[in-house]
């Protein structure tokens, strides 16, 4: 997997070794990037036009896949997650109605604008600075088409930075973030990578894209994680204290004074008994009903969300974690759409 993830970098090295002119490479990159953004733009425009014609939707969830795995510090399988999540959503093993009664096959509740073609872009030797910008641009293209609101399918957790940046910039100010995870992902950088999946919330906080960050489900945190949390004023709720914090977390009211609320769910927030298909298995986590109670009872205008770090390569043969990730997406779509 790591060799596949590095393919674009190796390709660039090969081209440079063969003395291919730099401007030729850059022109090719530009064409691929423009084509990628055009596809997202036109699909979002089509879905937005459809919803405006139908009427009756103030906000509608639209899936956007970001199959990125190379910023993972361990396994890169999350790059394969978006199609597996979509397959589980529509596999027919359950009906299309969410627990709160919204019907997913109504386009006013859920549409899909496809994936950012991450690997194809990286094959053209695009570096991560530019790739993060492309992801942000893609999210903004979705948000430009009222009433669409993006629900992003990862991918590793590094994608949250460019997505939150785009949401904050598009809305004109910081959002409140509810982050469910076994880890705080707030290292200044990890293994020399500022875009590591373990550093996404450091980038978000130093950029001023979040007014308030609540991290729930934490049970693998270093001294640096706690120090970074204090530095940025993060509210960290560790699992060792969950019985004490449960009532508060199941009755959250967020977003007052902010531009809305962003929800980021790392599938490993769940105990591995409920979701074994993750790269970093960390026992002692939330139950699935704990997570749903937090989401269902949350009082907030949810403007965007992501579900990340599902690793199909570690899932059970019957796709248990894919179904778990799919239900998270279903219930988030119900929360966002109105």
């Amino acid at each position: 997997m790591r060799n596949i993830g590095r393919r674009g970098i190796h390709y660039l090295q090969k081209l440079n070794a063969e003395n291919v002119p730099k401007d030729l490479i850059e022109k090719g990159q530009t064409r691929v990037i423009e084509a990628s953004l055009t596809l997202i733009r036109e699909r979002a425009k089509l879905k937005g036009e459809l919803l405006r014609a139908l009427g009756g939707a103030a906000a509608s969830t639209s899936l956007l896949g970001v199959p990125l795995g190379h910023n993972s510090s361990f396994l890169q399988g999350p790059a394969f997650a978006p199609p597996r999540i979509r397959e589980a959503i529509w596999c027919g093993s359950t009906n299309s109605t969410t627990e709160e009664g919204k019907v997913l096959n109504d386009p006013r509740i859920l549409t899909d604008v496809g994936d950012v073609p991450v690997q194809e872009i990286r094959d053209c030797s695009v570096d991560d600075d530019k790739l993060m910008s492309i992801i942000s641009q893609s999210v903004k293209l979705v948000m430009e088409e009222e009433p669409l609101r993006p629900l992003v399918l990862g991918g590793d957790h590094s994608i949250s930075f460019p997505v939150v940046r785009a949401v904050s910039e598009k809305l004109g100010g910081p959002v409140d973030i509810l982050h469910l995870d076994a880890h705080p992902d707030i290292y200044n950088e990890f293994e020399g990578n500022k875009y590591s999946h373990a550093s996404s919330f450091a980038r978000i906080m130093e950029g001023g894209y979040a007014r308030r960050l609540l991290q729930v489900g934490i049970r693998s945190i270093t001294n640096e994680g706690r120090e970074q949390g204090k530095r940025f004023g993060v509210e960290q709720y560790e699992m060792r204290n969950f019985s004490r914090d449960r009532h508060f977390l199941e009755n959250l009211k967020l977003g007052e004074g902010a531009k809305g609320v962003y929800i980021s769910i790392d599938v490993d927030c769940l105990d591995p008994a409920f979701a074994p298909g993750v790269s970093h298995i960390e026992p002692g986590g939330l139950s699935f009903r704990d997570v749903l109670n937090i989401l269902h009872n949350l009082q907030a205008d949810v403007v965007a969300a992501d579900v990340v770090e599902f690793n199909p390569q570690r899932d059970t043969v019957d796709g248990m974690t894919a179904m778990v990730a799919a239900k998270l997406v279903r219930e988030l779509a119900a929360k966002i759409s109105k």
Side-chain angles (χ1 to χ4, degrees), residues 66-69 77-82 153-159 307-310:
V66 183
L68 184 155
F80 299 106
L153 308 179
D156 68 45
H157 221 150
S158 68
I159 70 165
V307 174
V308 297
E309 295 288 353
F310 163 45

Side-chain angles (χ1 to χ4, degrees), residues 90 96-98 100-110 334:
W90 303 113
S96 62
T97 304
T98 69
E100 296 188 320
K102 294 184 179 178
V103 181
L104 294 183
N105 54 18
D106 181 344
R108 289 168 292 192
I109 304 300
L110 183 64

Side-chain angles (χ1 to χ4, degrees), residues 287-335:
S287 74
F288 194 81
R289 185 52 55 183
D290 291 334
V291 172
L292 288 193
N293 287 343
I294 291 169
L295 294 180
H296 288 164
N297 296 331
L298 172 66
Q299 297 180 59
D301 179 23
V302 182
V303 294
D306 65 55
V307 174
V308 297
E309 295 288 353
F310 163 45
N311 184 345
Q313 294 181 326
R314 301 197 89 181
D315 204 2
T316 59
V317 292
D318 56 356
M320 172 181 169
T321 314
M323 294 301 295
V324 167
K327 180 145 185 173
L328 291 172
V329 169
R330 290 159 61 94
E331 298 303 316
L332 279 171
K335 194 72 180 180

Side-chain angles (χ1 to χ4, degrees), residues 37-157:
L37 292 173
T38 296
L39 185 57
I40 299 293
R41 179 187 297 109
E42 293 304 318
R43 293 194 65 169
K45 184 177 180 180
L46 175 62
K47 302 304 169 62
E49 289 172 343
L50 169 65
L51 292 173
R52 291 190 292 273
L54 287 172
S60 176
T61 305
S62 192
L63 301 181
L64 173 67
V66 183
L68 184 155
H70 65 274
N71 283 322
S72 174
S73 60
F74 182 40
L75 303 174
Q76 297 185 13
F80 299 106
R84 299 287 77 79
I85 296 173
R86 287 188 178 96
E87 180 182 21
I89 291 171
W90 303 113
C91 70
S93 74
T94 184
N95 61 55
S96 62
T97 304
T98 69
E99 289 197 5
E100 296 188 320
K102 294 184 179 178
V103 181
L104 294 183
N105 54 18
D106 181 344
R108 289 168 292 192
I109 304 300
L110 183 64
T111 57
D112 193 334
V113 298
D115 290 351
V116 178
V118 172
Q119 190 57 57
E120 290 80 358
I121 292 169
R122 294 192 76 237
D123 280 348
C124 299
S125 311
V126 170
D127 63 24
D128 263 8
D129 287 334
K130 189 174 290 186
L131 178 59
M132 294 296 165
S133 176
I134 294 165
I135 295 169
S136 291
Q137 290 177 66
S138 299
V139 171
K140 289 179 180 179
L141 289 173
V142 175
M143 295 179 71
E144 284 175 5
E145 295 296 332
E146 294 287 346
L148 299 185
R149 294 186 175 184
L151 200 176
V152 180
L153 308 179
D156 68 45
H157 221 150

Side-chain angles (χ1 to χ4, degrees), residues 5-57:
R6 305 294 186 197
R7 184 169 55 182
I9 295 171
H10 291 162
Y11 186 50
L12 175 60
Q13 292 171 344
K14 181 180 178 181
L15 290 178
N16 287 339
E18 294 175 356
N19 298 317
V20 175
K22 184 178 179 180
D23 65 326
L24 184 65
I25 297 173
E26 291 176 347
K27 287 178 182 178
Q29 290 175 341
T30 299
R31 290 195 302 271
V32 171
I33 292 168
E34 288 178 350
S36 302
L37 292 173
T38 296
L39 185 57
I40 299 293
R41 179 187 297 109
E42 293 304 318
R43 293 194 65 169
K45 184 177 180 180
L46 175 62
K47 302 304 169 62
E49 289 172 343
L50 169 65
L51 292 173
R52 291 190 292 273
L54 287 172

